[in-house]
Amino acid sequence: MKKLLLSFILCHLSFSNVAAQQDTLTISMVGDVMMGTTFPSMMLPENEGKQLFKDAGDILRQADLALGNLEGTLCDGGQSTKGSGPNSYSFRTPTSYAPRLKEVGFDYMSMANNHANDFGQTGIESTERCLREQGILFSGIEGRTESVVIERKGKKIGICAFGHNSYTLKHTDLQVVGRIVDDLVSRCDLVIVSFHGGAEGKDKRHLPQGSETFLGENRGSLRQLAHFCIDHGADVVYGHGPHVLRAAEVYKGRFIAYSLGNFCTPYNVNLTGISGYAPLVEIKINPKDGQFYSGQVHPFIQARSIGPRADKTGAVIKEMKQLTEADVPQSQARIDEQGRILMNE
């Protein structure tokens, strides 16, 4: 009798664990990824970047879905489309580095940013080819791939990406955003929106009200954009672009990250102070309706030529916690001292 009872209990626990896993979808998100560049000179990590993600790989690979922003191109040639001024940068990562993205677990990379066109059509086509070869989905360039659909746990998940400059699908055009989000909502069980927006720099860590302008360019009204997407049925919205992390919010039970900053940008990007903070945000949502359950800020800090390394100082979590409390006090969730993202009681 005791053996039968024990067997029943173990079976029940096993069934409960399986059910709990089926009722939770885990999504990991990071900001800008640019593993090294050959332009204007060779700036590449050792061993073809095979150690860049060593501290973060387990988290990304264990997620049901891992998402990031590919800041630049994967190509071996072409002419830079950028000027030679102090605010002009072109990123050209060798195509041989593309496997690093698959090895670390990325399922999707946004191309809707101001570096996807650094080497023109040649760079865009090479980048798309490299990502396809690795089985990594992408979207965000106007006139090319508007959105993608991936299946996890029997659910169709639609993903789209928006940027602020001419060749991207622009988040400043809410008619375009609404059309693409509405289409995905009609075809999918869950929808995720990525955006590259906001002014850049250490003094732009706070999320403003209204539109942001940088170098004379409209970089979007990001609160409005994120809420607009969720109002149209999106379930997760995550941003990047300011090169610093920003607040996170839960709005109508759905998760928003306003900027995940730089994640793996070991060269030609300022990594001093808060510019080197590299959060990896992992969230758990209900795969049936997209409701946010909980999350975790995994803190990393970058150093030149190294990539993201575990932050043992507590600085990254503290920064994201403080920004969230200051800039989105109306959020339905909070970040605690351990980096847990918890629904308010």
Side-chain angles (χ1 to χ4, degrees):
M1 179 64 75
K2 288 183 179 180
K3 288 183 178 180
L4 287 173
L5 181 60
L6 179 60
S7 176
F8 172 80
I9 292 172
L10 290 174
C11 288
H12 177 74
L13 288 173
S14 177
F15 177 80
S16 297
N17 288 336
V18 170
Q21 290 173 0
Q22 290 176 339
D23 289 340
T24 301
L25 186 77
T26 302
I27 303 171
S28 288
M29 298 164 283
V30 302
D32 296 352
V33 175
M34 191 282 294
M35 297 175 284
T37 182
T38 60
F39 187 91
S41 61
M42 298 288 284
M43 291 174 277
L44 298 172
E46 62 181 14
N47 199 22
E48 290 195 317
K50 292 180 180 178
Q51 298 301 309
L52 284 174
F53 300 105
K54 69 173 188 176
D55 283 13
D58 286 346
I59 302 167
L60 290 168
R61 285 188 290 267
Q62 288 171 10
D64 294 311
L65 202 57
L67 317 167
N69 173 58
L70 186 60
E71 184 84 339
T73 61
L74 292 165
C75 66
D76 298 316
Q79 296 294 315
S80 171
T81 61
K82 299 288 185 66
S84 57
N87 295 309
S88 183
Y89 298 89
S90 293
F91 298 137
R92 184 174 63 191
T93 303
T95 57
S96 62
Y97 281 58
R100 304 294 87 77
L101 300 174
K102 183 62 176 180
E103 289 162 5
V104 79
F106 283 114
D107 299 291
Y108 171 88
M109 300 299 287
S110 166
M111 289 181 63
N113 58 64
N114 54 322
H115 287 284
N117 193 48
D118 280 358
F119 290 85
Q121 194 76 1
T122 297
I124 289 174
E125 291 177 354
S126 176
T127 302
E128 291 179 344
R129 183 175 62 254
C130 287
L131 293 174
R132 284 195 190 99
E133 288 173 352
Q134 300 303 317
I136 298 172
L137 298 174
F138 57 85
S139 66
I141 304 297
E142 187 176 25
R144 300 186 73 84
T145 304
E146 281 196 345
S147 63
V148 295
V149 177
I150 190 170
E151 188 168 317
R152 290 289 187 273
K153 296 191 172 181
K155 302 296 182 180
K156 290 183 178 179
I157 304 170
I159 311 173
C160 55
F162 302 97
H164 53 71
N165 49 314
S166 60
Y167 55 86
T168 66
L169 293 163
K170 289 176 280 296
H171 56 65
T172 52
D173 187 339
L174 291 183
Q175 280 194 324
V176 170
V177 175
R179 175 181 62 79
I180 294 173
V181 172
D182 288 348
D183 172 64
L184 286 176
V185 169
S186 72
R187 296 188 289 123
C188 301
D189 301 294
L190 300 168
V191 173
I192 299 171
V193 178
S194 168
F195 69 84
H196 200 70
E200 300 179 21
K202 292 182 179 180
D203 61 340
K204 307 300 182 184
R205 52 199 279 270
H206 283 287
L207 178 69
Q209 300 284 350
S211 295
E212 300 181 59
T213 301
F214 185 71
L215 300 178
E217 185 178 42
N218 180 2
R219 293 292 182 91
S221 178
L222 303 183
R223 293 175 190 262
Q224 179 190 17
L225 170 69
H227 289 189
F228 176 88
C229 290
I230 290 173
D231 290 343
H232 274 249
D235 300 289
V236 178
V237 180
Y238 75 99
H240 30 81
H243 296 296
V244 288
L245 66 86
R246 284 182 168 181
E249 179 183 13
V250 172
Y251 166 75
K252 293 186 175 180
R254 305 303 193 273
F255 181 79
I256 303 167
Y258 284 102
S259 174
L260 296 174
N262 303 318
F263 184 66
C264 182
T265 54
Y267 297 97
N268 245 16
V269 174
N270 182 2
L271 299 178
T272 62
I274 60 174
S275 297
Y277 291 3
L280 188 168
V281 174
E282 177 187 51
I283 63 170
K284 296 184 184 299
I285 66 172
N286 187 329
K288 297 176 182 177
D289 62 11
Q291 284 281 338
F292 174 81
Y293 283 153
S294 64
Q296 178 68 48
V297 179
H298 297 280
F300 298 90
I301 294 179
Q302 288 200 74
R304 180 179 168 83
S305 80
I306 301 298
R309 293 295 178 262
D311 169 30
K312 299 178 182 179
T313 71
V316 176
I317 290 173
K318 182 180 179 181
E319 172 79 356
M320 199 163 184
K321 179 178 185 294
Q322 290 179 342
L323 290 173
T324 296
E325 292 170 351
D327 296 344
V328 284
Q330 74 281 3
S331 174
Q332 294 175 326
R334 66 193 187 281
I335 300 175
D336 71 9
E337 289 78 6
Q338 287 75 48
R340 295 177 299 180
I341 309 171
L342 305 169
M343 292 294 288
N344 295 328
E345 297 175 355

